């Protein structure tokens, strides 16, 4: 499975961005997709995940601002980020798992990451 994340950029606080993660290869068994992020000097942390049928889960610090969705026909997962804050600045990674989890180590495949920078 190969994952290609895109959509990052430099925005101002309060702006929106939509990240995309395109999956290719043997994707059928990796039904659960997640987004994680790593800010400078910090450990990578969970952001959101979605199952094949659309069941979602979010970290408290992004709930009500971020929305994860997927287009199964396109093998693509999206992360709509609204009301961005400077503390959302990080490299955002998408990942694929065979289980619904927020635990990074369970995710088998990772994309290369896309930089999101939010200025104040």
């Amino acid at each position: 499975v190969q994952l290609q994340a895109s959509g990052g950029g430099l925005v101002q606080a309060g702006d929106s961005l939509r990240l995309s993660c395109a999956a290719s290869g043997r994707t059928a068994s990796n039904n659960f997709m997640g987004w994680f992020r790593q800010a400078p000097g910090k450990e990578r942390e969970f952001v959101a995940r979605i199952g094949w049928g659309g069941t979602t889960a979010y970290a408290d610090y992004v709930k009500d601002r971020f929305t994860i969705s997927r287009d199964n026909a396109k093998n693509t997962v999206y992360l709509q980020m609204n009301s961005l804050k400077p503390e959302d600045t990080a490299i955002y990674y998408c990942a694929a798992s065979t289980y619904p989890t927020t635990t990074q180590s369970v995710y088998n495949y990772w994309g290369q990451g896309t930089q999101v920078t939010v200025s104040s």
Side-chain angles (χ1 to χ4, degrees):
V1 177
Q2 293 79 44
L3 303 175
Q4 181 71 41
S6 62
L10 172 63
V11 297
Q12 293 186 335
D15 284 350
S16 299
L17 272 178
R18 189 177 80 157
L19 305 183
S20 299
C21 176
S24 60
R26 300 182 66 178
T27 60
S29 60
N30 291 276
N31 292 330
F32 300 94
M33 298 293 295
W35 285 97
F36 295 80
R37 69 185 185 185
Q38 186 167 22
K42 296 186 177 181
E43 294 187 351
R44 191 162 56 187
E45 61 184 8
F46 168 76
V47 174
R49 65 165 176 84
I50 187 168
W52 181 263
T55 304
T56 60
Y58 297 91
D60 288 342
Y61 35 83
V62 303
K63 196 174 295 184
D64 298 328
R65 297 189 298 123
F66 291 11
T67 302
I68 188 171
S69 62
R70 67 190 298 165
D71 184 334
N72 293 330
K74 295 181 179 180
N75 282 335
T76 301
V77 175
Y78 305 97
L79 185 68
Q80 177 67 43
M81 306 185 294
N82 298 329
S83 302
L84 283 162
K85 304 175 181 180
E87 50 263 44
D88 294 319
T89 295
I91 299 173
Y92 283 71
Y93 299 89
C94 60
S97 170
T98 56
Y99 301 98
T101 179
T102 62
T103 304
Q104 297 183 47
S105 60
V106 181
Y107 284 79
N108 304 308
Y109 302 97
W110 291 81
Q112 84 289 0
T114 184
Q115 176 71 48
V116 173
T117 303
V118 185
S119 63
S120 58

